Amino acid sequence: MHIEQNILDKVNEWLTPTFDESTQDAIKEMMTSSPKELEESFYKNLEFGTGGMRGIMGVGTNRINKYTLGKNTQGLSDYMTKSFPGEQLKVAIAYDCRHNSNTLAKVVADVFSANGVHVYLFSDMRTTPELSFAVRHLNCHAGIVLTASHNPPEYNGYKVYWQDGGQLVPPQDGEIIQLIEALNYDEIKFEANENLIEYIDTEVDAAFEKSTVENCSFNTPTSAKENLKIVYTSLHGTSIKSIPSVLTKAGYTDINIVAEQAEPNGNFPTVKSPNPEEPEALTMALALAEKTNADIVIGTDPDSDRLGVAVRNTEGKMVLLNGNQTMVIMTAFLLEQWKRAEKITGTEFIGSTIVSTPMMQELASAYGIECKVGLTGFKWIAKMIKDFPNQKFIGGGEESFGFMVGAAVRDKDAVGATLLVCEIAAQAKAAGSTLYHELLNLYVDHGFYKEHLISLTKKGIDGLKEINQMMIDLRENPVSEIDGQRVVCIEDYDNSTSRNMFSGEIESLNIPKSNVLIYYLEDGSKICARPSGTEPKIKFYFSVNTTLDSVEDAKSVEVELDEKIKNIIAGMNLI
């Protein structure tokens, strides 16, 4: 097959003595046996997306390996040296259960230390929220976690955190990327200064768990905690290091752990995908719930920033809640707790994203506070905390099963969210209700919102072209009517405009640019198109809503909303 010259130039660079023999041997093998794989490995450089940098492990500029991560780390070291002149630089590094995470974490630590940076390296795998916590707890200038979240086993990744414990955001991210791209691979300092690498573990664990219990406990009676039957699975990930301990310290005693999934394992052998967004991932946990007559099932992804929750519906059947539902349940509970404690003054806020349920704005309005909405990715919610120091952050979430309670952790936090959702379930059960019934009550009070997500996977070079073309078509040939409902407004975050489709009036959007389109229909429905920042996918988010007069009407109203979503999808020819 023909390979472009610019790709061959990169390949030839990686065949120089700057790169070790095993790397060169792997490239030579691909040149003869897998030219297509060679092209995929070198046709672009791995990029930072909504959740840091993720990619398939292997050799090449488009792969996760010691050189691509070493280059990132060298660039970050240079940037920190410029940003904090004269200071003893400090970073914290954590890693999850994935293959090579521990060795890649040591490579990153080596490069930092070679640049004079004091490194706090966790001695074993730890959760992403604990890394975010550790950055501030240890007064670090930055933090790194080696993880690819819920991606398949062949992936790994590199997430960068700044002083505030949140992920990199503008302008730092762009400035650092420029430095990284300007570097040559022979400029990476791989020779470690072991005196600058300090291993950390139990002291930070204890501080993180103490903070979590304090921030996510809400005066639940001991008897209510002991009466809640919990099934929990770590899906072979790192949360097994934190969640059982946190729940026990908080007073929960009836915790049934899915034993077959409790051992960390980067192959994730019992699931197709270690993603709690996928119902299949919780199959074993749901089976254990039936066996133990559990009230709630909780599953977390490999680095423990996302959680899936299943509860019993009005018929006593276990159902998996989606991320929007868990988000509104937890947010409403927090708001009510703050109100009862007379802590709401009007200067507080909750956080959400442009692709998440509009019900978050309804909740904020009902309690007289603000709902700040940002781009997809929790880094934007963390940025809100930093940008508005005179407002108190209560909590926030996004549709992709992430939630954050308060400001102690500045990223999605499945450890804290697990304790919070158990508090809600325990209090509901003690009051003769259920967590599901509490959700239906919220729909009666604020409107029944139903969301749905379609992810279309388009791999490789051709897939990227196809995704780009789909977004071009949506922009250049906008749909004017869907399912009999006129499009009233189109928000295009790529050019920061909101267009009224009736009047033609255009307003500016005060949110950073992103390749996202949102259609709003006459009846309040919302459709969002967004290429994923970390996976070869284009995602379509649907939100519809109507009034709910009583809990008893919930089933029939939900059928109507499901039918509306189905008709919208058909009207857009997506399936």
Side-chain angles (χ1 to χ4, degrees), residues 412-469:
K412 297 189 289 285
D413 178 7
V415 181
T418 292
L419 175 54
L420 174 61
V421 81
C422 287
E423 290 281 285
I424 303 168
Q427 291 188 23
K429 185 177 182 180
S433 180
T434 66
L435 195 141
Y436 190 82
H437 202 276
E438 294 304 303
L439 174 63
L440 298 183
N441 285 336
L442 291 174
Y443 288 154
V444 171
D445 292 342
H446 306 285
F448 197 153
Y449 285 77
K450 187 73 188 284
E451 279 75 30
H452 184 70
L453 169 67
I454 292 179
S455 291
L456 303 179
T457 300
K458 309 284 183 181
K459 292 185 177 180
I461 300 171
D462 293 337
L464 181 61
K465 289 178 181 176
E466 192 174 346
I467 288 171
N468 290 338
Q469 189 60 50

Side-chain angles (χ1 to χ4, degrees), residues 215-474:
N215 290 327
C216 303
S217 296
F218 293 91
N219 301 312
T220 304
T222 299
S223 59
K225 294 178 182 180
E226 294 174 347
N227 195 37
L228 185 71
K229 293 182 177 293
I230 304 165
V231 163
Y232 154 74
T233 176
S234 60
L235 297 178
H236 304 289
T238 60
S239 72
I240 198 73
K241 296 282 186 180
S242 297
I243 286 179
S245 177
V246 164
L247 289 177
T248 300
K249 287 177 179 177
Y252 291 88
T253 56
D254 198 342
I255 308 165
N256 298 278
I257 298 173
V258 179
E260 301 92 332
Q261 297 175 329
E263 186 71 27
N265 187 329
N267 287 324
F268 314 113
T270 66
V271 291
K272 290 180 183 176
S273 169
N275 185 357
E277 294 178 75
E278 304 288 344
E280 182 274 336
L282 296 183
T283 299
M284 296 180 81
L286 291 170
L288 183 58
E290 292 307 323
K291 185 178 179 180
T292 60
N293 194 31
D295 301 302
I296 188 168
V297 167
I298 297 167
T300 57
D301 69 344
D303 68 323
S304 190
D305 59 359
R306 301 169 193 251
L307 80 161
V309 178
V311 292
R312 297 198 181 275
N313 64 11
T314 52
E315 298 168 351
K317 180 185 176 184
M318 274 286 174
V319 291
L320 181 65
L321 302 179
N322 65 42
N324 287 297
Q325 290 172 322
T326 54
M327 171 170 53
V328 297
I329 290 169
M330 290 189 277
T331 301
F333 179 83
L334 289 175
L335 288 169
E336 187 61 25
Q337 296 299 313
W338 278 58
K339 180 182 177 182
R340 289 179 186 176
E342 299 182 344
K343 290 176 12 182
I344 291 183
T345 65
T347 60
E348 297 74 25
F349 74 96
I350 56 175
S352 186
T353 71
I354 58 175
V355 300
S356 299
T357 178
M359 191 172 172
M360 288 290 279
Q361 285 94 317
E362 297 296 324
L363 289 174
S365 177
Y367 283 86
I369 65 158
E370 182 183 2
C371 178
K372 295 183 188 294
V373 179
L375 294 175
T376 306
F378 247 77
K379 62 186 178 184
W380 300 108
I381 296 179
K383 186 175 186 292
M384 295 169 189
I385 300 171
K386 183 168 62 174
D387 288 350
F388 299 94
N390 295 324
Q391 289 182 263
K392 287 189 177 179
F393 176 70
I394 294 175
E398 62 180 4
E399 53 75 39
S400 58
F401 288 56
F403 198 81
M404 182 163 66
V405 186
V409 170
R410 303 290 176 92
D411 202 355
K412 297 189 289 285
D413 178 7
V415 181
T418 292
L419 175 54
L420 174 61
V421 81
C422 287
E423 290 281 285
I424 303 168
Q427 291 188 23
K429 185 177 182 180
S433 180
T434 66
L435 195 141
Y436 190 82
H437 202 276
E438 294 304 303
L439 174 63
L440 298 183
N441 285 336
L442 291 174
Y443 288 154
V444 171
D445 292 342
H446 306 285
F448 197 153
Y449 285 77
K450 187 73 188 284
E451 279 75 30
H452 184 70
L453 169 67
I454 292 179
S455 291
L456 303 179
T457 300
K458 309 284 183 181
K459 292 185 177 180
I461 300 171
D462 293 337
L464 181 61
K465 289 178 181 176
E466 192 174 346
I467 288 171
N468 290 338
Q469 189 60 50
M470 291 176 79
M471 293 301 292
I472 289 169
D473 292 342
L474 285 168

Side-chain angles (χ1 to χ4, degrees), residues 28-280:
K28 291 172 184 174
E29 172 66 24
M30 278 196 290
M31 291 174 76
T32 55
S33 63
S34 306
K36 180 65 176 174
E37 184 183 348
L38 183 75
E39 183 182 50
E40 292 284 349
S41 299
F42 282 94
Y43 83 94
K44 67 173 184 176
N45 295 340
L46 272 183
E47 299 170 348
F48 281 89
T50 51
M53 177 181 281
R54 292 184 209 164
I56 296 170
M57 289 177 279
V59 300
T61 60
N62 189 34
R63 295 289 184 258
I64 293 287
N65 53 64
K66 66 177 285 189
Y67 297 103
T68 53
L69 296 193
K71 194 174 180 182
N72 285 352
T73 307
Q74 185 63 52
L76 182 56
S77 298
D78 293 345
Y79 184 81
M80 290 166 62
T81 300
K82 289 181 180 179
S83 301
F84 307 104
E87 295 186 34
Q88 172 58 63
L89 300 174
K90 295 186 290 185
V91 299
I93 301 175
Y95 57 91
D96 69 3
C97 60
R98 288 181 174 272
H99 299 306
N100 303 316
S101 278
N102 57 345
T103 54
L104 289 171
K106 183 57 167 65
V107 168
V108 171
D110 290 349
V111 175
F112 275 128
S113 69
N115 283 276
V117 180
H118 187 101
V119 178
Y120 295 104
L121 176 61
F122 277 101
S123 60
D124 196 2
M125 63 187 72
R126 290 297 188 279
T127 67
T128 287
E130 183 166 348
L131 182 278
S132 172
F133 173 86
V135 169
R136 295 172 71 234
H137 179 70
L138 297 169
N139 289 317
C140 291
H141 297 84
I144 304 290
V145 62
L146 281 296
T147 177
S149 188
H150 55 276
N151 284 58
E154 64 268 24
Y155 281 74
N156 215 317
Y158 181 94
K159 290 170 73 171
V160 184
Y161 293 78
W162 207 235
Q163 277 182 302
D164 65 324
Q167 289 185 56
L168 278 181
V169 292
Q172 282 90 359
D173 57 355
E175 294 167 355
I176 291 168
I177 289 167
Q178 280 187 330
L179 274 179
I180 292 169
E181 290 178 346
L183 282 171
N184 295 319
Y185 285 100
D186 60 8
E187 296 178 84
I188 304 169
K189 300 174 183 176
F190 282 113
E191 295 301 318
N193 179 348
E194 296 291 348
N195 293 326
L196 289 177
I197 300 176
E198 179 181 344
Y199 289 90
I200 56 173
D201 38 50
T202 54
E203 186 276 327
V204 180
D205 294 343
F208 171 65
E209 292 175 9
K210 181 175 182 288
S211 172
T212 302
V213 172
E214 289 175 352
N215 290 327
C216 303
S217 296
F218 293 91
N219 301 312
T220 304
T222 299
S223 59
K225 294 178 182 180
E226 294 174 347
N227 195 37
L228 185 71
K229 293 182 177 293
I230 304 165
V231 163
Y232 154 74
T233 176
S234 60
L235 297 178
H236 304 289
T238 60
S239 72
I240 198 73
K241 296 282 186 180
S242 297
I243 286 179
S245 177
V246 164
L247 289 177
T248 300
K249 287 177 179 177
Y252 291 88
T253 56
D254 198 342
I255 308 165
N256 298 278
I257 298 173
V258 179
E260 301 92 332
Q261 297 175 329
E263 186 71 27
N265 187 329
N267 287 324
F268 314 113
T270 66
V271 291
K272 290 180 183 176
S273 169
N275 185 357
E277 294 178 75
E278 304 288 344
E280 182 274 336

